[in-house]
Amino acid sequence: MRWGVEQRLEFIEFRLFWEGSINRADIIDCFGVSTPQASKDLSLYQARAPGNMLYDSRAKCYVAADAFVLRFLDPDPYKYLSQLRAVSEGMLPASESWIAAMPNADVALTPKREIDIAILRRILEAVRESQSIEVLYQSMNSARPDPIWRRMTPHAFGYDGFRWHVRAYCHVEDKFKDFLLPRILEVGTKGEPGQSGEHDWLWNNYFDVLIGPHPDLTEGQKKVVAKDYGLEIDTTILSVRYAMLFYVLKRLGLLDDAAKRSARTQHIVNVNRKETQAALERAEFQL
C-alpha cells in the first residue's frame, strides 16, 4: 500500500481506539482527500479489519465494535499525551492533531527560550557536513563576561526538559562542551573540523543511575511510586549518558541527598549516590 493510504488506515484506527468513532469528514479534514477517497479508505479498513467497526445510522458515523482488535496501530499512551501536550503548549495547532475530542488540558509552562532559526539551520548544516563553525557565544563564566567569538565542531543536540543545547568540540578550550542555543548570538564561517563526535567519551558512554522510593514512604506509597516511575520491584536503572547526567539528576531532584528531604515532596532517591557523585565528577560536574 502507498504510505498515504497506510497512514489514513492508522488514523481511522486511532480515532476508533481513542475516541470510539469516525466518519468521512474526519479523514477529509485531516488529509485533504476527496469524499470518494475517504469512502474507499473506510471500506478498505473494513476489509482489512473485519468486525472492528459498525455504522451507526443515527449518529451517521462508524463506531468501534465490542470485538475491536488493533490491526494497524501500536497504541502508546505517551504518543497520545504528547499530542495533547503539544497542543496545550501551542507547538501544534489543534487542527493538525489526530485528536478530535480534545480534552481540557494544561501544562506547567516555563519561559520560552528564543532560538534563532537561522542560527539553528547553520549549526545543523555544520553537523551534516562534519565541519566546524564560528559562533558568537555569551557565556555565564565570570572569566568571560562579554560575548566572544569561538570556533566549535558540533555533533549532537541535548534537551534537559527546559532548554536545548548543542554538544560540540570547543576549539578554544580543546574539549567537548554544551553550548545553549539561545546564547549563540551570531554564527560566522565554517571551517575545518576539530575532534569528531566519536571522540566525545562523555557523550558516547553511559552511567547507570539506580533510583528507588524514598525510605520514609509507607509500603503503600512505595508501591504507587514504583508504579509511577516504572520501578522494577524496589528499584530501577536509568542508563544515562555521562554528558546528560547532571541534567537528568537535576530534573529528578537527585543532585543532593534526596533521602534527607521530605518524602512528601521528594518521592524517589538515588540508591547508588556515592557512585553517581563519582560519575558526575568524571563528567566534570562538581556538586
Side-chain angles (χ1 to χ4, degrees):
M1 292 182 294
R2 291 178 293 113
W3 165 247
V5 177
E6 186 176 354
Q7 189 179 39
R8 293 196 297 273
L9 293 177
E10 185 177 334
F11 171 77
I12 292 170
E13 195 156 275
F14 179 95
R15 285 288 176 87
L16 290 170
F17 181 80
W18 288 111
E19 304 191 13
S21 66
I22 190 168
N23 58 32
R24 288 182 305 182
D26 295 332
I27 303 171
I28 294 168
D29 292 343
C30 186
F31 296 96
V33 298
S34 65
T35 299
Q37 181 60 61
S39 297
K40 288 182 180 178
D41 291 337
L42 289 167
S43 297
L44 180 59
Y45 182 83
Q46 283 184 308
R48 297 294 302 274
N52 261 13
M53 66 181 186
L54 304 171
Y55 186 72
D56 185 334
S57 58
R58 180 176 297 180
K60 295 184 179 179
C61 66
Y62 288 92
V63 297
D66 292 337
F68 182 86
V69 178
L70 289 164
R71 302 285 187 181
F72 301 96
L73 186 70
D74 182 13
D76 183 341
Y78 287 99
K79 288 182 180 179
Y80 179 92
L81 293 173
S82 66
Q83 286 195 41
L84 188 59
R85 175 184 175 183
V87 173
S88 300
E89 290 184 326
M91 295 187 297
L92 180 71
S95 60
E96 294 183 15
S97 168
W98 280 16
I99 303 172
M102 189 70 64
N104 284 331
D106 203 351
V107 295
L109 295 177
T110 56
K112 183 179 179 181
R113 268 70 174 188
E114 293 295 334
I115 299 174
D116 189 310
I117 191 170
I119 289 175
L120 178 58
R121 290 186 69 217
R122 292 288 304 281
I123 293 174
L124 286 168
E125 186 178 76
V127 172
R128 288 196 305 270
E129 297 175 0
S130 299
Q131 290 189 310
S132 67
I133 190 168
E134 282 187 313
V135 297
L136 181 63
Y137 191 74
Q138 176 61 71
S139 172
M140 292 296 143
N141 191 321
S142 59
R144 300 190 183 95
D146 300 313
I148 66 167
W149 283 97
R150 56 203 301 169
R151 183 166 291 278
M152 68 175 185
T153 300
H155 72 86
F157 292 86
Y159 182 63
D160 67 358
F162 300 101
R163 304 179 295 186
W164 280 96
H165 63 260
V166 58
R167 183 74 178 172
Y169 171 75
C170 176
H171 294 230
V172 174
E173 299 185 37
D174 187 27
K175 65 179 182 179
F176 289 95
K177 296 188 62 175
D178 301 336
F179 293 87
L180 287 169
L181 288 174
R183 296 182 187 171
I184 299 176
L185 308 179
E186 296 181 45
V187 291
T189 60
K190 290 186 292 185
E192 291 298 313
Q195 292 190 46
S196 64
E198 64 185 19
H199 294 103
D200 188 350
W201 191 94
L202 295 178
W203 180 265
N204 295 313
N205 287 275
Y206 293 77
F207 173 77
D208 289 339
V209 180
L210 194 61
I211 64 171
H214 195 292
D216 292 343
L217 293 172
T218 66
E219 289 305 310
Q221 290 170 336
K222 288 179 180 179
K223 287 181 180 179
V224 79
V225 167
K227 181 177 182 292
D228 191 19
Y229 285 88
L231 305 183
E232 300 173 2
I233 309 177
D234 295 326
T235 59
T236 197
I237 293 174
L238 297 180
S239 189
V240 183
R241 296 181 191 272
Y242 277 83
M244 296 295 293
L245 182 58
F246 173 83
Y247 307 116
V248 171
L249 295 175
K250 182 179 179 180
R251 194 170 188 191
L252 294 175
L254 298 176
L255 281 176
D256 59 2
D257 189 352
K260 294 180 179 179
R261 283 186 276 133
S262 170
R264 290 185 60 192
T265 56
Q266 180 62 40
H267 301 148
I268 58 172
V269 297
N270 181 196
V271 177
N272 58 339
R273 175 166 163 73
K274 184 177 180 180
E275 293 81 1
T276 302
Q277 285 182 305
L280 272 174
E281 292 176 6
R282 185 167 191 176
E284 301 178 6
F285 287 105
Q286 297 290 333
L287 294 182

